[in-house]
Amino acid sequence: FGDYDDCVRYRGNDEIRRAHRGCDVTRGRSELPQCSDAVPTLCLKALLSRGYKQLVLQVGRGSLLPGPDSCPGMRVHSFRFKDSIAADIRGADLVISHAGAGSCLETLGAGRPLLVVVNDRLMDNHQLELARQLHADSHLLYCTCSTLTETLKTMDLSVLEPFSPGQPENFATFMDQALGIH
């Protein structure tokens, strides 16, 4: 990605950063079996139409490992795993991730816009509960694999509000509420 402005708030940065727009896609160790290998092609087209020029793609154990020039109009850097993706997240204008709590908190704590893809086939789906609550609080957008392309086409990142990290008691209360514990 190179070095970009370290914008703490992302509201209003769309025009400033348009020439350098980059997207980071991470899935950690999670698998979304219902997301076929065809989904990335449709998503790449949607990202290109929104002005994204660079893509950092963590493929995990996926079958594809796209090359740097695998998508005309977009520079792709793909990898399976690395020790830390913090720098990738900080350099992204948009992060697309699975809906695990750790991934959500790392991205929101870095002040990056976040679109989470919920695995809607999980039983007792804590990912969906977390995504719904963070969305209700205007911290992220969420979708499923089947709605990812349409969400990328229609998303409005300007509605997102920064998440205030560093307040573990607030997060504990939030998690209790999101999971229906209290």
Side-chain angles (χ1 to χ4, degrees):
F1 273 97
D3 294 324
Y4 296 114
D5 300 337
D6 187 20
C7 301
V8 176
R9 292 185 60 93
Y10 37 82
R11 177 173 286 177
N13 291 336
D14 194 49
E15 293 303 317
I16 296 169
R17 297 175 64 144
R18 185 170 302 281
H20 304 290
R21 292 184 87 169
C23 179
D24 182 64
V25 179
T26 178
R27 62 193 254 177
R29 298 191 183 281
S30 69
E31 297 295 328
L32 294 171
Q34 70 273 31
C35 288
S36 71
D37 288 340
V39 170
T41 301
L42 298 173
C43 293
L44 286 171
K45 288 179 182 178
L47 287 168
L48 280 167
S49 73
R50 300 290 305 248
Y52 290 91
K53 305 290 186 204
Q54 299 183 68
L55 178 69
V56 175
L57 180 62
Q58 179 187 22
V59 299
R61 294 182 293 256
S63 60
L64 296 177
L65 191 63
D69 299 315
S70 59
C71 179
M74 185 175 291
R75 186 76 178 155
V76 178
H77 171 71
S78 61
F79 61 94
R80 296 209 181 276
F81 297 104
K82 58 169 96 169
D83 291 337
S84 174
I85 59 171
D88 296 322
I89 289 172
R90 284 191 307 271
D93 297 293
L94 171 66
V95 176
I96 302 171
S97 176
H98 69 110
S103 296
C104 290
L105 289 177
E106 184 173 12
T107 302
L108 294 174
R112 306 324 306 153
L114 176 60
L115 169 61
V116 296
V117 182
V118 176
N119 185 346
D120 56 356
R121 294 186 179 182
L122 293 176
M123 292 176 41
D124 300 320
N125 198 340
H126 66 281
Q127 285 190 4
L128 180 58
E129 292 172 16
L130 179 61
R132 278 185 180 154
Q133 185 60 54
L134 288 169
H135 176 74
D137 294 338
S138 299
H139 297 306
L140 58 74
L141 302 175
Y142 76 97
C143 63
T144 63
C145 284
S146 62
T147 62
L148 177 58
T149 301
E150 187 60 29
T151 301
L152 288 170
K153 290 177 183 177
T154 61
M155 67 185 177
D156 180 4
L157 300 179
S158 71
V159 302
L160 299 178
E161 295 289 335
F163 184 79
S164 299
Q167 299 172 353
E169 64 283 349
N170 290 349
F171 181 69
T173 301
F174 163 77
M175 287 299 292
D176 286 349
Q177 291 172 347
L179 298 174
I181 295 173
H182 286 52

